Amino acid sequence: NYITLAYSLPELPYSSYTWIAAWNGRQLRAVHKSQFVATQSSSKRYKTNIKPITKERARRILDVEIETFDYKNGVVDDREQYDRTGAIAEDVAEIYPEAVIFRDIEGLGTVPDAIDYSRLIPSMIKMAQLQQEEINALKKRVMDLEGES
């Protein structure tokens, strides 16, 4: 297991990092950000108040607008600057504030800065399940109607 360290410059968002340092207690190694996998403790041993996500909460994912855009100069590596796809942190903050990373920026206060897309995945999974239930019900209805004729 590695402990991950990343140096933060206040004027640069996390997406600007190219390398992340990882320490396993014996050696320090550099890991390119494309190979970095973040995990969350997910065992029920670590959780309380477990209950199914509501349909209403899952459906909020449908309100997240996906845009294409170019990053401004100096925000990311040149190779990652153009023709990007994703959501806008300020917009997502209104729908899924728990998926947004806020930052204190001098002169602006605490503002949306980045999106933790992994926090949107549970709602995506639930919506796929709900849509599959609807598809199955519609298939059954079509089969029933075709059987009547």
Side-chain angles (χ1 to χ4, degrees):
N1 291 340
Y2 281 89
I3 296 173
T4 306
L5 312 166
Y7 181 70
S8 174
L9 296 173
E11 64 275 6
L12 295 177
Y14 174 80
S15 60
S16 298
Y17 300 139
T18 301
W19 297 93
I20 298 169
W23 172 255
N24 71 355
R26 294 187 316 273
Q27 72 182 88
L28 183 67
R29 68 182 185 106
V31 178
H32 190 269
K33 73 177 180 180
S34 65
Q35 297 174 342
F36 181 72
V37 177
T39 61
Q40 298 174 359
S41 298
S42 194
S43 171
K44 66 181 176 182
R45 297 185 318 268
Y46 307 121
K47 301 174 181 181
T48 63
N49 197 26
I50 299 169
K51 55 189 170 194
I53 184 173
T54 64
K55 291 178 182 180
E56 294 74 25
R57 184 171 180 171
R59 284 192 172 106
R60 290 189 299 168
I61 198 71
L62 300 175
D63 295 329
V64 174
E65 293 290 332
I66 302 300
E67 314 282 355
T68 61
F69 56 89
D70 297 332
Y71 280 107
K72 294 179 179 178
N73 290 332
V75 176
V76 296
D77 292 338
D78 291 344
R79 295 170 298 185
E80 298 181 15
Q81 182 173 357
Y82 301 104
D83 196 27
R84 306 305 299 176
T85 305
I88 306 300
E90 289 83 352
D91 298 339
V92 175
E94 295 178 18
I95 303 162
Y96 271 99
E98 65 271 25
V100 175
I101 298 162
F102 291 83
R103 237 173 97 200
D104 290 326
I105 297 179
E106 191 173 324
L108 296 176
T110 303
V111 295
D113 189 61
I115 300 169
D116 180 355
Y117 285 95
S118 69
R119 291 184 172 245
L120 300 175
I121 294 171
S123 291
M124 294 170 152
I125 293 170
K126 184 62 176 181
M127 280 308 302
Q129 293 169 341
L130 291 170
Q131 289 174 352
Q132 189 60 51
E133 288 174 12
E134 187 173 345
I135 290 167
N136 292 345
L138 291 170
K139 281 182 176 180
K140 183 181 181 324
R141 186 170 176 201
V142 167
M143 287 173 37
D144 290 346
L145 289 172
E146 287 176 345
E148 291 177 6
S149 53

